Structures are given as C-alpha cells and as structure tokens.
Amino acid sequence: MTPPLEIAANVLMTASIILAGRNNIHSWWIGMVGCVLFAVLFFQVNLYADVMLQLFFIVTCVIGWLQWRRGAGGKPLPITRTGWRSLAWVVPAGIASVAIYGMLLHRFTNAYAPFIDSAVLVFSIIAQFLLMSRRIETWAFWLLVNTVAVPLYYSRGLHLTAVLYAAYWVNAVISWYWWSVQARRAAAAPPALADA
C-alpha cells in the first residue's frame, strides 16, 4: 500500500510540474510544499542526495517565483535559450560533480545507489537553475533526470513516485515543445505585444 506521505508529495509535485510546463507562476509555491514532503519521504528510504535536493528546491522555489514575477527589469522574465558555450562547460562540470558527490556518499553514508542518486541531484540542480531563468533547455535536463529517477525510485519501493516520474518525462517533452512555441511567438511579436 502506498503511504499517504508519498501520495501527498506526488499530488503536489505533479501539479507544480504541470504548471511549470504551462509557464504558470503558481508552480513555485506548490512545488515548495511538495519538496518538504519529498524531503521527509526520501530520508525514510536512505536517498540522502535526494533529501539535499529537496532542500535546494525549497530555496530555489522562492527565488524562481521572484525571478519569474519581476526578473526582467520589473517585467516577467521571457523564455529564452541557453548558449552552446554555457552548455559546453555545464555538462562536463555536472558529470564531474556526480562522480565526486557519489564517491562521498559511497564512502561516508549508507546511501542506496549513491552515484545514480547523485546524478538525480546534480542534473536536477542544473535543470532547476535553467527553469528559474526560463531557459528552454531546462526540459532536456529534466528528461535526463526523469530517465534516471524512474528506475531508482522503483527499486526503493516508491512505485507511485516512479510512475509519476515516467509521466513527468512525457510532460518534459510536451513542455519543451510548448516553451519553444511560446519563445518563437514572443520573438515574432511586435515589442508592444511581446510586453503585454
């Protein structure tokens, strides 16, 4: 039987992720509450990197909400792309961070699957920063995270969470497309309409 804590955490995070994909600012505060519940849940199953990730998400939800609300000179932050130069150093730095943090978890804790858990942590952080800045590439990183997270959570008996992360994978594909369409429309619109 699925614990009530897991159900509540997943309901809130599903709402938050769907709202983020629809470019809706309410994603942030709903996500914050969901992260608190997930932090407790992951602690119970020895996924310590995921606990740290949820604490990070709580802080960044506040920052993300503020950035989306007034992050572009007092105007809502537009959807943009990340440059290839940025990605060229972010991805290798992420891989190195996974290796280092995974080794630390392996050596000093009883963490389950420390390197896989670390991959979820590191690439979720990258994806979150891109989401906070409304960068389209956030959805590519969320695809990666969800691909790794589904078998990890399933293996720890968090079956509902695994199923919903599979659904989040689909949501990331749809959101990637939706954000690309919105960015093209904003770029094509006259300045007065783009600011409206």
Side-chain angles (χ1 to χ4, degrees), residues 88-101:
W89 71 264
V90 165
V91 172
I95 292 169
S97 298
V98 168
I100 293 166
Y101 195 61

Side-chain angles (χ1 to χ4, degrees), residues 113-166:
F115 292 95
I116 297 171
D117 198 19
S118 294
V120 172
L121 168 76
V122 170
F123 287 103
S124 292
I125 289 171
I126 293 169
Q128 185 77 348
F129 278 123
L130 292 172
L131 181 64
M132 289 164 58
S133 301
R134 274 193 170 141
R135 304 289 179 152
I136 292 172
E137 292 76 13
T138 187
W139 300 109
F141 284 95
W142 287 123
L143 282 172
L144 172 64
V145 167
N146 296 333
T147 299
V148 173
V150 169
L152 175 66
Y153 297 152
Y154 190 85
S155 70
R156 295 308 287 160
L158 301 175
H159 299 138
L160 175 61
T161 301
V163 168
L164 285 170
Y165 268 72

Side-chain angles (χ1 to χ4, degrees), residues 97-111:
S97 298
V98 168
I100 293 166
Y101 195 61
M103 282 189 280
L104 291 171
L105 287 177
H106 176 70
R107 183 164 174 84
F108 297 110
T109 74
N110 65 339

